[in-house]
Amino acid sequence: MTCQSKVAVSPKVTSSFVQDVQAIVGKSNVSTADAVRQQHGHDESYHSTEPPDIVAFAESVDHVSQVARLCNYHGVPLIPFGSGTGLEGGVNAVQGGLCLDVSKMKNILSVNAEDFDCSVESGVTRVQLNNYLRDTGLWFPIDPGADASLCGMCATSASGTNAVRYGTMRENVMNLEVVLADGRVINTAGAGRRTKKTSAGYNLTNLFVGSEGTLGIITKATLRLQGIPEATISATCHFPDVQSAVDTTVQVLQCGIPMARIEFLDEVSIDACNKFSHLDLKVAPSLFFEFHGAEAGLENQTKVVAELVKMNGGSEFRWATDVDERNHLWKARHEILWACMALKPGSKPYSTDVCVPISNLPQVVVRTKQMITEAGIIGPMVGHVGDGNFHVFFPVHYDDHVTLKKVHDVSHKMSLIALELNGTCTGEHGIGIGKRDLLVQEIGAEGLAVMRQLKDTLDPKGIMNPGKVFF
Ligand SMILES: Cc1cc2c(cc1C)N(C[C@H](O)[C@H](O)[C@H](O)COP(=O)(O)OP(=O)(O)OC[C@H]1O[C@@H](n3cnc4c(N)ncnc43)[C@H](O)[C@@H]1O)c1[nH]c(=O)[nH]c(=O)c1N2
Ligand SMILES: CC(C)C(=O)C(=O)O
Ligand SMILES: [Mn+2]
């Protein structure tokens, strides 16, 4: 686990190949400069930088299609690059090749306000879309902390703090335009289709959601939108221990309260947030809640949740009712990765991401906390607990191999506990290069072989993001 990068140029990327790429996307959209290759050879994770041999910037689906056809012909690895905010090394060019940056395709193609949907090109980010929607009364709720590209979010099946109410990318994508390895362009639900439901054949859309660039390049996404709620209330409270906070979450959901957000932060992450984002919360295991709905309904919901908090030994609510206060709170939550890294200056994130059925959550959280304490490492715990999903954001230094090994061991054991409890090794960050060994344990050898057959059918030469998801 070093930070060294590969300098050798793949023998397949010859000067005539570079010229062919330039002829497709234009000279100014191609770079073999070291700085550009380095920048495209890593995401926000701790994985070592692996630069591609060449970076090309696409400006249209036609560019993407022609570049794919060229790479396929020459057998050159093709790595799609959205905004590089991934956390499992998904863009790292582990076998060299061509990195295709699709961030210049930034058009919001349509917004159908009456139908609650929109279509965006591959470079449109979630913040760009929500700014654009501001005056329509609509919003797109899926919110990974980073301002990721929406097509990259499709590729990793991202979610975030709102998933407990609004679902993940899987539930919010209606159609995708995808360029396959051989350059063919398909629409996974048929050209122009944007229905809320369909029983027409196989669900190709969801085959590409979470495919991490290994099956094709997503050039357009048709997404569901939501109405901005009439009223929004946020509140925080703290608990004597982790177990009581997680028990409260389970009970709130069992009561059928339609929570918009329930986020857990342990005392280490609260401390990190206080320091980094200038909050003054009590340093204790805490829950951040958000309620969306009509004013009248919210009063009842907040009352029930406050009672459950009290029954579990939690504190009074601290309300964040006005917009500025609320934005400050959720901005702090979204910046928590960097807050945790600031606990150890110069560190990079080693993040974990397990998800279990909600009733098994207390067990996995409490066992993880014990492992972190026993290992004597810094391991702030943060969870989208309403989904049974939680993370530990370990700050690591590349050269501290002793701590890295401890972190890796705890992280691996956490995933095994999640699998043992009918859960998954990744709720939202994906497999990338870091969790390939866990995927086989999760899906089983036969299930994985079927995934492999699908990959071989769509990408027989294996050019699409090789070394990711599978070994
Ligand atoms: C501070 C912070 C906070 C968070 C997160 C990151 C960071 C830095 N994330 C993770 C991250 O934002 C998420 O993985 C994004 O969905 C990745 O989108 P990018 O555009 O950055 O893809 P990026 O460029 O990083 O690529 C990720 C993978 O998708 C592929 N890919 C990208 N664009 C593609 C395209 N158009 N077609 C095909 N394949 C493509 C790549 O090849 C790669 O395998 C997250 N996530 C989450 O789910 N919940 C969260 O709460 C957070 N929070
Ligand atoms: C920081 C990141 C990785 C995240 O998933 C979160 O904040 O929930
Ligand atoms: Mn998360």
Side-chain angles (χ1 to χ4, degrees):
M1 275 181 237
T2 64
C3 198
Q4 275 162 7
S5 61
K6 185 169 53 55
V7 282
V9 170
S10 154
K12 289 172 183 163
V13 178
T14 58
S15 54
S16 89
F17 177 86
V18 174
Q19 280 167 14
D20 287 346
V21 179
Q22 286 172 340
I24 297 169
V25 297
K27 253 188 171 170
S28 60
N29 277 328
V30 177
S31 181
T32 50
D34 200 43
V36 179
R37 295 191 304 110
Q38 294 287 336
Q39 189 229 324
H40 284 79
H42 68 88
D43 56 12
E44 296 286 4
S45 66
Y46 70 94
H47 294 292
S48 312
T49 299
E50 302 267 13
D53 301 306
I54 169 173
V55 178
F57 295 84
E59 291 187 7
S60 67
V61 61
D62 190 47
H63 281 171
V64 176
S65 168
Q66 286 195 55
V67 168
R69 200 171 305 131
L70 184 74
C71 288
N72 198 43
Y73 180 79
H74 291 285
V76 170
L78 170 55
I79 305 112
F81 188 100
S83 39
T85 69
L87 293 161
E88 291 297 341
V91 296
N92 297 30
V94 293
Q95 296 180 20
L98 182 145
C99 172
L100 189 58
D101 184 322
V102 289
S103 63
K104 285 192 175 180
M105 295 166 65
K106 280 201 117 26
N107 291 312
I108 296 173
L109 300 167
S110 62
V111 174
N112 300 299
E114 324 75 57
D115 297 326
F116 292 75
D117 68 58
C118 69
S119 288
V120 298
E121 286 187 335
S122 51
V124 175
T125 69
R126 66 174 187 87
V127 171
Q128 183 192 345
L129 177 62
N130 277 326
N131 285 341
Y132 185 87
L133 291 172
R134 193 167 284 157
D135 299 328
T136 64
L138 301 173
W139 68 308
F140 183 70
I142 318 304
D143 68 333
D147 185 20
S149 75
L150 291 154
C151 289
M153 286 165 58
C154 293
T156 61
S157 189
S159 46
T161 62
N162 289 303
V164 62
R165 170 78 161 261
Y166 301 100
T168 70
M169 287 309 280
R170 281 201 194 281
E171 292 81 34
N172 286 282
V173 183
M174 298 160 127
N175 202 347
L176 294 173
E177 179 184 80
V178 179
V179 175
L180 300 178
D182 61 7
R184 276 179 297 160
V185 182
I186 61 162
N187 289 274
T188 53
R193 318 262 158 239
R194 49 185 183 85
T195 54
K196 192 170 176 189
K197 47 200 262 197
T198 170
S199 321
Y202 297 160
N203 190 335
L204 290 184
T205 306
N206 259 325
L207 176 62
F208 285 90
V209 175
S211 61
E212 300 187 43
T214 63
L215 298 180
I217 306 123
I218 303 168
T219 45
K220 179 169 117 183
T222 301
L223 305 168
R224 270 192 197 165
L225 301 174
Q226 303 288 331
I228 295 174
E230 180 192 311
T232 300
I233 303 178
S234 300
T236 60
C237 63
H238 55 85
F239 292 85
D241 49 40
V242 171
Q243 177 90 42
S244 47
V246 183
D247 286 346
T248 305
T249 306
V250 175
Q251 291 159 19
V252 167
L253 293 173
Q254 281 167 346
C255 286
I257 312 279
M259 295 304 305
R261 290 166 152 161
I262 313 186
E263 293 288 311
F264 166 74
L265 289 86
D266 75 349
E267 67 284 2
V268 188
S269 15
I270 291 285
D271 182 40
C273 259
N274 281 346
K275 289 176 179 146
F276 189 83
S277 300
H278 312 293
L279 297 180
D280 61 347
L281 297 170
K282 182 169 163 69
V283 178
S286 302
L287 289 176
F288 288 11
F289 293 104
E290 191 161 271
F291 303 84
H292 291 175
E295 299 270 5
L298 290 197
E299 204 178 306
N300 191 36
Q301 288 175 26
T302 51
K303 216 168 120 198
V304 175
V305 175
E307 272 165 25
L308 290 171
V309 169
K310 206 166 152 201
M311 268 170 47
N312 285 292
S315 70
E316 295 284 310
F317 273 167
R318 182 164 163 179
W319 301 100
T321 30
D322 81 75
V323 177
D324 288 344
E325 230 182 321
R326 224 170 46 223
N327 287 347
H328 185 61
L329 182 71
W330 291 110
K331 186 167 180 285
R333 169 61 190 87
H334 278 139
E335 288 175 353
I336 201 156
L337 188 65
W338 310 128
C340 295
M341 294 314 108
L343 291 174
K344 207 180 206 184
S347 62
K348 288 278 271 176
Y350 187 124
S351 59
T352 68
D353 172 36
V354 301
C355 186
V356 294
I358 189 88
S359 61
N360 289 336
L361 190 63
Q363 216 191 119
V364 68
V365 171
V366 170
R367 281 168 74 181
T368 301
K369 188 87 184 159
Q370 269 165 10
M371 289 193 296
I372 292 171
T373 309
E374 278 162 25
I377 48 183
I378 303 176
M381 292 174 71
V382 177
H384 311 294
V385 277
D387 303 320
N389 185 194
F390 83 98
H391 313 298
V392 185
F393 301 134
F394 298 104
V396 293
H397 287 133
Y398 284 140
D399 48 3
D400 180 358
H401 297 283
V402 175
T403 308
L404 260 174
K405 169 141 186 10
K406 287 183 187 170
V407 164
H408 183 71
D409 286 350
V410 171
S411 165
H412 193 72
K413 277 187 202 142
M414 253 177 90
S415 293
L416 295 181
I417 295 172
L419 295 183
E420 179 195 311
L421 296 173
N422 308 106
T424 172
C425 67
T426 171
E428 53 176 27
H429 298 161
I431 297 293
I433 44 185
K435 289 189 170 165
R436 291 173 297 176
D437 55 334
L438 289 161
L439 183 65
V440 65
Q441 302 199 43
E442 179 163 334
I443 306 289
E446 283 176 6
L448 201 71
V450 173
M451 284 193 188
R452 180 41 99 181
Q453 282 174 319
L454 285 167
K455 159 91 175 156
D456 290 345
T457 302
L458 291 170
D459 176 22
K461 286 187 159 183
I463 62 156
M464 289 306 311
N465 210 1
K468 311 299 163 54
V469 180
F470 306 102
F471 282 104

